[in-house]
Amino acid sequence: MMEPGKKHRNKETCTASLNAVKDALYVLNGKWKFPLIIALQDGPKRFNEIQKSLGEITPKILSKELKDLELNEFLVRKVFSTTPVTVTYELTPYSESLDRVINELREWGLKHRERLVKNRKNEHTTAETLVSL
């Protein structure tokens, strides 16, 4: 018997879903894509500003991730003919298509962390009770 709210899916639907998820993960893979997009949500930033806001990312990885996001039309690199040259990165309107995904991931992440903390407290309390017996 199926769980309430679950729809029965045929093989073609499952295959289409699997391919769509694989495509999304191919574009947004790695631990830096979403944090990078979030870091740019408050406006354009220069390379060093982005690196500081993300913390542990190396310049080489940041450069690669910025190029990937530019190729996939999530951000645009703007070069200004100042002395020295100024380069900024900013999100495109297309990046807003990820807003719901980011919000859902944020909500899930908060709930997951809360669950883990709660379970660890319960395990700790149980262990203390066993020790005191």
Side-chain angles (χ1 to χ4, degrees):
M1 186 161 164
M2 297 193 71
E3 295 177 39
K6 296 278 182 177
K7 296 178 183 174
H8 182 71
R9 296 193 171 116
N10 61 30
K11 185 176 180 176
E12 292 80 24
T13 304
C14 286
T15 301
S17 292
L18 178 63
N19 288 337
V21 169
K22 285 166 64 175
D23 289 346
L25 290 176
Y26 179 79
V27 171
L28 298 167
N29 69 342
K31 72 178 194 177
W32 294 111
K33 297 281 190 329
F34 281 115
L36 226 167
I37 289 168
I38 293 166
L40 289 169
Q41 283 181 332
D42 62 345
K45 286 188 174 71
R46 296 178 69 172
F47 188 92
N48 288 337
E49 292 175 293
I50 298 168
Q51 188 177 8
K52 284 178 188 173
S53 69
L54 294 177
E56 303 168 3
I57 193 167
T58 65
K60 182 178 177 180
I61 297 295
L62 177 55
S63 180
K64 178 199 171 299
E65 297 294 300
L66 287 167
K67 286 177 187 169
D68 286 351
L69 288 171
E70 186 178 13
L71 284 171
N72 285 288
E73 301 178 1
F74 291 112
L75 65 81
V76 64
R77 179 179 186 265
K78 292 186 176 179
V79 181
F80 298 93
S81 58
T82 56
T83 307
V85 173
T86 303
V87 179
T88 63
Y89 299 88
E90 70 179 271
L91 296 177
T92 63
Y94 180 61
S95 70
E96 293 175 13
S97 66
L98 294 172
D99 286 352
R100 284 184 32 218
V101 175
I102 290 169
N103 287 332
E104 288 294 324
L105 281 171
R106 180 184 308 113
E107 288 299 315
W108 185 88
L110 290 169
K111 289 176 185 172
H112 181 65
R113 180 179 297 267
E114 183 180 301
R115 175 187 171 101
L116 292 180
V117 168
K118 179 183 171 191
N119 287 341
R120 287 189 183 131
K121 283 182 184 175
N122 288 341
E123 288 173 12
H124 186 65
T125 304
T126 304
E128 286 177 348
T129 304
L130 291 173
V131 169
S132 66
L133 295 176

